[in-house]
Amino acid sequence: MHSSLAKHLHSEECVRWIEAYEQCVKENKYKKYLGACSDVQYKMAGCMQQELKKRRNIGGENLKKRELENYAKHNPEFAEKLKLLEELKSQKENNEQKSSKDQH
């Protein structure tokens, strides 16, 4: 069993394998049960395993940020909201720095 095929969760390389797998399954409605898409599926699963290893090595430090950025690549509306959120955070930090300087 492979992990989720949601494209916003994976790298561009794995997205290409996912699309190839989906196309193979679509073209081989019955042959897929006889292994017609097995090669593509194994390569897709291998790519996903490599992604998982990379995420585990990172230790979750920037994982959430990268996942949000990756999702934003495939969802322009979300990308705008994410950009707005980052701007608001930077404004808040600037205001806090100014107020701490004023107090000292």
Side-chain angles (χ1 to χ4, degrees):
M1 185 78 184
H2 48 72
S3 63
S4 173
L5 297 182
K7 294 176 182 157
H8 69 275
L9 297 175
H10 301 286
S11 66
E12 292 179 22
E13 179 185 355
C14 288
V15 168
R16 282 188 239 121
W17 285 114
I18 291 169
E19 290 171 350
Y21 175 70
E22 289 173 343
Q23 184 68 29
C24 182
V25 168
K26 188 185 291 184
E27 291 173 355
N28 299 294
K29 288 185 178 182
Y30 300 106
K31 290 182 182 179
K32 66 182 177 185
Y33 298 113
L34 301 174
C37 301
S38 294
D39 292 340
V40 177
Q41 184 179 7
Y42 292 140
K43 290 179 182 179
M44 176 188 69
C47 183
M48 290 178 183
Q49 283 180 335
Q50 291 300 318
E51 283 184 337
L52 181 61
K53 286 179 184 177
K54 288 178 187 175
R55 280 196 297 252
R56 285 181 180 160
N57 289 339
I58 291 171
E61 293 175 11
N62 296 320
L63 180 62
K64 186 70 174 176
K65 183 178 178 182
R66 280 199 333 273
E67 285 180 349
L68 290 173
E69 290 171 354
N70 198 16
Y71 183 73
K73 286 181 187 176
H74 301 285
N75 189 334
E77 185 178 317
F78 181 77
E80 291 176 22
K81 291 179 182 178
L82 185 61
K83 184 177 179 182
L84 179 62
L85 178 64
E86 290 174 0
E87 289 173 1
L88 291 173
K89 283 182 180 179
S90 66
Q91 287 177 359
K92 182 180 177 183
E93 289 174 0
N94 290 338
N95 290 339
E96 288 174 355
Q97 288 176 354
K98 287 180 184 178
S99 66
S100 68
K101 287 181 182 178
D102 293 339
Q103 289 176 357
H104 293 288

